[in-house]
Amino acid sequence: MKQLLKTLTETFGPSGHEGEVRKIILKEVKPLADEIRVDALGSLIVRKKPARGSKNPRRIMLAAHMDEIGIIASHIDKKGFVRFTNVGGTFGRYTLGARIRFMNGVTGVIGYDLPEHVENVPPINKMYIDVGATKKEDCPVKVGDFAAFERSYMEMGDRLVAKSMDDRTGVAVLIETLRSIKSTPNDLYFVFTTQEEVGVRGAGAAAYGIDPEIGLAVDVTATGDTPASMKVMTELGKGPCVKFRDPGMLSDPRVVDWMISTAEKARIPYQREVLLIGSTDAREIQISRAGVMAGALSIPCRYVHSASEMVDYRDLKNSVKLLTALLSKVVSF
Ligand code: CO
Ligand code: ZN
């Protein structure tokens, strides 16, 4: 899974431009799928049908988003410096000094207008991208060009660091889960969604098309295990998290019970998650059509939305184990 994660995180894919990521996933899932389609918003929908003779198979949608946060060029000045705005949750404190890459391969570094108080982090509208141009006419970037962080994948023992761990870890976990499920009594839809970072847009459209009974997002969650971090109980390396609440969703208690009882029976470590900021694809799945029983399995992640997001490999492996256990058996609610 590490090699796959390296490939996925080193691939370019800001919201609305997930094509490169989709290509990699497609190659992995082709031999494992019963049906594959791409919907109008670009989500990749991979179906694994129930084993022959299964009674009342449940339609279950799993979702992991392919897109990552990014930036978009909004203005180019006389000297060829590129001003930009955010695509999703791109924050000043994580953007300053970053290297970025545009879709056409142009790279740049992010500089800033000196603030009055140098200790203050400037917001992104006080930053610019230096792509090495000296005047507007030579700037290889046009207004509307998308870019994302440029950063290579790195391993520190079990701790893995890369850009776009949010949510390529979810993507890798879903691919590995599909690989590990030998047979299922359920009708499974593994959905690799688009445009999550700009307001969970792809997942809603995909859920409408699939009309699932149960929906589960697989995405990262913040941790409370660093100095002066948020007051949450989730930690790296302590297992996948069962989501109870985030600001966009209350998990269905039946889904929460299903996840916890399965983890306990299979002796897989898990954590109880209440997230204070952010949400996931499950938010849109839950309120699609007449409503869906929804929840989320979250992967603990430090420094979310920076170019160096950190996860623990053991959490990824245990996430695959838990999902495999959940999806391989008859759902009893
Ligand atoms: Co995110
Ligand atoms: Zn995410």
Side-chain angles (χ1 to χ4, degrees):
M1 190 170 15
K2 285 181 182 172
Q3 184 54 45
L4 176 60
L5 193 61
K6 174 176 162 63
T7 307
L8 284 167
T9 53
E10 289 182 350
T11 299
F12 177 89
S15 306
H17 295 274
E18 299 88 352
E20 293 293 310
V21 182
R22 191 169 53 234
K23 236 185 267 169
I24 293 165
I25 302 170
L26 203 50
K27 210 177 89 209
E28 296 289 329
V29 299
K30 224 168 202 171
L32 309 166
D34 293 318
E35 267 176 38
I36 297 179
R37 67 172 195 268
V38 177
D39 74 9
L41 267 69
S43 292
L44 175 64
I45 300 171
V46 178
R47 184 176 179 196
K48 182 161 180 70
K49 289 186 184 171
R52 202 165 297 164
S54 304
K55 282 203 192 88
N56 306 320
R58 307 300 291 275
R59 212 160 39 253
I60 305 176
M61 172 175 169
L62 294 315
H65 64 92
M66 297 187 284
D67 62 312
E68 67 191 281
I69 55 161
I71 59 190
I72 182 169
S74 56
H75 173 86
I76 293 145
D77 75 12
K78 288 198 295 286
K79 288 190 163 169
F81 292 109
V82 181
R83 298 283 166 168
F84 60 96
T85 190
N86 63 304
V87 176
T90 314
F91 307 124
R93 65 179 180 278
Y94 284 149
T95 307
L96 194 54
R99 298 175 185 194
I100 57 108
R101 175 181 292 276
F102 284 89
M103 208 156 60
N104 61 4
V106 170
T107 50
V109 299
I110 296 184
Y112 64 102
D113 304 329
L114 199 64
E116 247 166 66
H117 304 283
V118 280
E119 67 276 13
N120 291 347
V121 178
I124 62 167
N125 64 4
K126 298 286 183 200
M127 297 182 186
Y128 54 80
I129 306 161
D130 185 340
V131 292
T134 51
K135 53 183 194 289
K136 194 177 188 176
E137 292 70 34
D138 297 338
C139 182
V141 175
K142 291 188 294 298
V143 167
D145 284 353
F146 282 75
F149 286 134
E150 168 71 8
R151 190 63 66 94
S152 57
Y153 168 92
M154 172 169 91
E155 290 179 7
M156 309 184 313
D158 277 330
R159 301 289 158 92
L160 315 178
V161 178
K163 75 161 180 69
S164 67
M165 286 294 191
D166 174 14
D167 184 27
R168 306 285 159 74
T169 50
V171 168
V173 162
L174 282 196
I175 293 170
E176 291 306 314
T177 301
L178 180 60
R179 217 190 298 284
S180 81
I181 293 175
K182 297 299 166 240
S183 136
T184 174
N186 303 301
D187 197 1
L188 304 178
Y189 290 82
F190 290 78
V191 184
F192 302 92
T193 64
T194 55
Q195 300 192 32
E196 192 271 350
E197 296 292 357
V198 289
V200 275
R201 296 177 189 167
Y208 192 97
I210 293 165
D211 193 13
E213 300 161 76
I214 301 167
L216 215 55
V218 180
D219 205 336
V220 300
T221 191
T223 64
D225 58 355
T226 53
S229 58
M230 251 184 294
K231 287 270 176 279
V232 293
M233 298 289 284
T234 40
E235 293 176 51
L236 286 196
K238 297 282 170 70
C241 306
V242 175
K243 188 188 290 291
F244 283 75
R245 177 267 186 197
D246 65 37
M249 187 190 71
L250 303 173
S251 296
D252 190 294
R254 292 164 289 190
V255 174
V256 169
D257 289 346
W258 175 49
M259 294 173 76
I260 289 179
S261 63
T262 303
E264 286 178 350
K265 228 175 274 165
R267 294 168 180 271
I268 300 163
Y270 70 93
Q271 310 184 65
R272 299 163 70 93
E273 175 206 353
V274 171
L275 182 61
L276 305 180
I277 47 169
S279 196
T280 72
D281 280 341
R283 185 188 94 195
E284 280 304 301
I285 298 170
Q286 187 175 46
I287 55 171
S288 124
R289 290 195 187 232
V292 176
M293 291 185 275
L297 180 147
S298 306
I299 298 158
C301 182
R302 288 181 185 167
Y303 323 121
V304 176
H305 286 195
S306 78
S308 298
E309 298 176 325
M310 182 189 289
V311 298
D312 190 295
Y313 189 52
R314 293 164 296 177
D315 294 334
L316 304 189
K317 287 192 290 189
N318 282 320
S319 297
V320 173
K321 269 191 205 160
L322 180 51
L323 284 168
T324 304
L326 287 166
L327 302 172
S328 303
K329 293 195 192 90
V330 174
V331 179
S332 59
F333 59 85

